[in-house]
Amino acid sequence: MEDPPASEMDSKNPNAEDEVSSTDRRPFGGLEFQVSEVVGRLEAVVNAQDGVTNTQESVIDAQDSAANYPEFFESSNKEPPKEIPSDLELDETPMDEILKVLEDIVMKTDPNCESLEPPLLPTDAVTRAAILSHSISALFARLERGHAAKLGGYIASETTRWMSYLFRLEDYNAYYHQEQLEGLVRVTKMLLHHKYPRYLEDGALAFANRLPCIYSCVASPLGVVQHLCRQLGLPLACVRPVPADAAGRTDVPALERLCAEDARAGRAPLLVLGEAGAPPLGRGEPLRALARACAALQLHLHVRGHALALPAALPRGQTHSIADSLTLTPGPWFGVPGLPTVTFYKIPETVTANDHSKGVNPAGSRESALAALAGLTAGAARLAALPLWTCARAAGEQRLTRRIVGAFRSARAARALVASADLRLLSEPPGGDEPPNVDIVDAMSQASACVVFQFAPADCGARVPPYYDKLNSWLGQVLQREPDMMSVEVCETEAHGAALRYCPLEGAAGGAGADEAGAAWAGALEAQLHVLRATVALREPFRRSVRAHPRLALARVPGWAGLGGVRYEPAGWARAPRAQQDALQRSLVGALRAADGAFSCGAADDGRACVRFGMVTADTDVDELLALVADAGRAAEAGARALDDMTALVKRGISAAQEELARAADEGLLRRVPVVGRVVAWWAPPAPPAGRRLLLADGSLQTTEDIYRRVQKKEEEPPRAHSPSRAPPDDQ
């Protein structure tokens, strides 16, 4: 682990660095060149050992394939294959064009991308090494099986020694996997083979009459045990929730009582799931007391959580093996993507024969338990450690340790900022600053790796009121929009409601700019807290003023964190159609937003439209805002009344026009009768055709004869002679 830093390693090959830098301006950087160079070098080493032997074997393999699978080589008697649609036919494409297509796809699938380059995360030398190791793993899959097994065994063994040294572990085997819970599933499968020797032959029937029991604290996430049962085909009746004590940790005496009850009921206590700084609140367990109880009850203790990274930040000299198995996630801890998850485990001792294992050699239970971890000894599974092995060599022990130390330091600084802002803290203090003589197990039991906090009233209980859930969600969304600052997330807790969480061990750890980001984050947090406190203080005066106003009514808007919602309701408004009411509120919001962007249109709990008031500052005059709404409402009401009057006038004019057109049609019918038409024409000569016009001032329908006469008179007048214009006299 005393390797030179990555920067020194990169500088040893200047030619490669120059060629990489020439392509580093591309979104994928120099990865294409590096992968090609590494693959070429490794292929040259492997292919140098083959030579003529591979040629002879390929001829023999081709002959055997033709003999064993003639359907792939004889196509004369076969039907012609179906034609593939033209849009699925692919031609050979150079790698440069493939990368360009991939870059275009990355840009098109990112709705927030505004630049001309794909939004890929920046990578350092360690991250590039981890990415390259995945290509090397794929290349190693072409090796002969025995060779791959030896290679994978060496890499896994060396990586296990490094990780054990870094995290102060002792006497563990390691399993490397991509899915975070896969190691726990395989360990549980090993325990089932250990407890039920007939499990290999009978499957789930082996424990049909004697269910295994998995114990988990009620404060722990339920999804872990649910995933475990689904993967192993266990019923949810196997899950035994353990009560929590006053501090929210596993109640060890209650666990002992549950195990005794299950043993008397004919069940098989199997596994206890413990936590050390696990999300979302960073809660820990009394690991020493829990391990002592599990040893007495012959239970397997599995521990997971971010506090397991704490030993890397503590002084050297202590090791621990307190749990029977534990899960480490070095990828998020080191801030390097693509690293595998590591499950460290101990193989249990052989069980003694009992009534449920008659006819089975008890010594075979150990072999069946090892068989349950299928794939652990295979070369492909052990090669999963290659990215972590590469990352450890590229970064070195000191650089990896600094990242973990920086993460705990960043969490402690964030906790101090939150405490100074008078917010409610829900998580334990982060570790990393313990005295040198502290016990490593006690440090992991008490430490947290995250900071969870709330904006809450001073006199509330464990759970905040529902309105404060909205305020905390709003605060989290605002802080998430702040660039280049500490990243927080909004999490929903069952016991406390909505809360904000900062965990540097779930991403890039604190680096050189962590102090600047923390200072900027503190300023943004303080500014938003002023807005929150002002909104809470003015909420009740706002409601009182709305109740006192004759034309305004309160509207309850679910999920809204602002002051609230109101409706403008004129006299007799209750009898108006709902569509007309909503149209008035929307037009009111349109007029208000021209004066202040804090107004918006929303839907109340009854589905009707309303005017929403957003977040405010301490100098906001609520009565002035409500007066602005009332004035805009009266203006909108007057406009709506004028529109209604104009609509009535138009309807009345259209009705009169229709009646007159009907009379003209009847008169025209009489004139078209031969005899009657002459009499009618003699008695009432037809008038010249004239148009009709509607006067909106009084709604009357009039003819357009006067307009025709003015136009005709204007046309009959002779044109005037053009006389030159005279300049105005000078005022002198």
Side-chain angles (χ1 to χ4, degrees), residues 125 345 347 352 380 465 592 655 676:
Y345 65 95
I347 301 176
T352 57
L592 290 172
S655 177
V676 178

Side-chain angles (χ1 to χ4, degrees), residues 366-434:
R366 182 176 177 87
E367 285 71 20
S368 62
L370 291 175
L373 294 167
L376 279 178
T377 57
R382 293 190 174 185
L383 279 175
L386 182 59
L388 187 55
W389 181 88
T390 307
C391 173
R393 280 194 168 271
E397 176 198 352
Q398 294 183 359
R399 186 171 179 179
L400 297 180
T401 302
R402 283 198 304 269
R403 291 195 178 188
I404 295 180
V405 171
F408 280 100
R409 184 186 298 116
S410 177
R412 293 196 302 270
R415 182 180 176 87
L417 291 174
V418 170
S420 63
D422 197 20
L423 292 170
R424 182 184 186 183
L425 284 165
L426 303 177
S427 56
E428 298 292 334
D433 58 348
E434 289 79 8

